[in-house]
Amino acid sequence: MAKQLGLLLAGLCLVVSSFFLSVNPAAAETVKIKMGSDAGALQFDPATVTIKAGDTVQWVNNKLSPHNVVVEGSDALSHKALLFSPGESFESTFTEPGEYSYYCEPHRGAGMVGKVVVQ
């Protein structure tokens, strides 16, 4: 009887633990930001995005190149090389919550700035 009870408990533990192992964590997302609006304005579109820690931002060269992205206070998240061709892109994954201001170096004076809010 004790052996059968032990086997029953072991089987029950396997079934219960399989529920925990089969639940997938929330998948990280990628948010796209255009560099240069469709109308030809020197701006990021959208200018502000809100994401979760672990999500990725992809900046895509759209219009009025060249563009780059400099994240204030973070060389690791910045992409200082200039992109010239439409469709070229680069990505940064934001792992820490906070607010990250960024700008396009050649067009900062024209107001080409943005913000990533990481929750």
Side-chain angles (χ1 to χ4, degrees), residues 15 33 43 51 70 95 111:
V15 170
I33 299 175
Q43 65 186 42
I51 62 173
V70 178
T95 57

Side-chain angles (χ1 to χ4, degrees), residues 16-40:
V16 171
S17 66
S18 71
F19 289 117
F20 293 108
L21 295 175
S22 66
V23 175
N24 292 331
E29 293 187 22
T30 298
V31 175
K32 292 185 180 185
I33 299 175
K34 292 179 184 177
M35 295 185 289
S37 73
D38 288 339

Side-chain angles (χ1 to χ4, degrees), residues 70-89:
V70 178
V71 179
E72 294 179 3
S74 178
D75 286 337
L77 294 171
S78 296
H79 299 275
K80 294 184 179 182
L82 295 173
L83 298 182
F84 289 90
S85 298
E88 287 184 303
S89 66

Side-chain angles (χ1 to χ4, degrees), residues 19-111:
F19 289 117
F20 293 108
L21 295 175
S22 66
V23 175
N24 292 331
E29 293 187 22
T30 298
V31 175
K32 292 185 180 185
I33 299 175
K34 292 179 184 177
M35 295 185 289
S37 73
D38 288 339
L42 289 171
Q43 65 186 42
F44 292 102
D45 184 20
T48 301
V49 296
T50 301
I51 62 173
K52 293 184 170 79
D55 286 351
T56 298
V57 173
Q58 179 186 44
W59 287 275
V60 180
N61 198 13
N62 190 36
K63 297 211 176 190
L64 297 173
S65 59
H67 298 298
N68 68 357
V69 171
V70 178
V71 179
E72 294 179 3
S74 178
D75 286 337
L77 294 171
S78 296
H79 299 275
K80 294 184 179 182
L82 295 173
L83 298 182
F84 289 90
S85 298
E88 287 184 303
S89 66
F90 36 68
E91 298 180 346
S92 291
T93 300
F94 290 78
T95 57
E96 297 295 323
E99 292 189 4
Y100 298 83
S101 295
Y102 64 91
Y103 58 90
C104 172
E105 226 165 11
H107 303 119
R108 185 179 191 183

Side-chain angles (χ1 to χ4, degrees), residues 6-16:
L7 285 174
L8 179 64
L9 286 175
L12 183 62
C13 286
L14 282 173
V15 170
V16 171

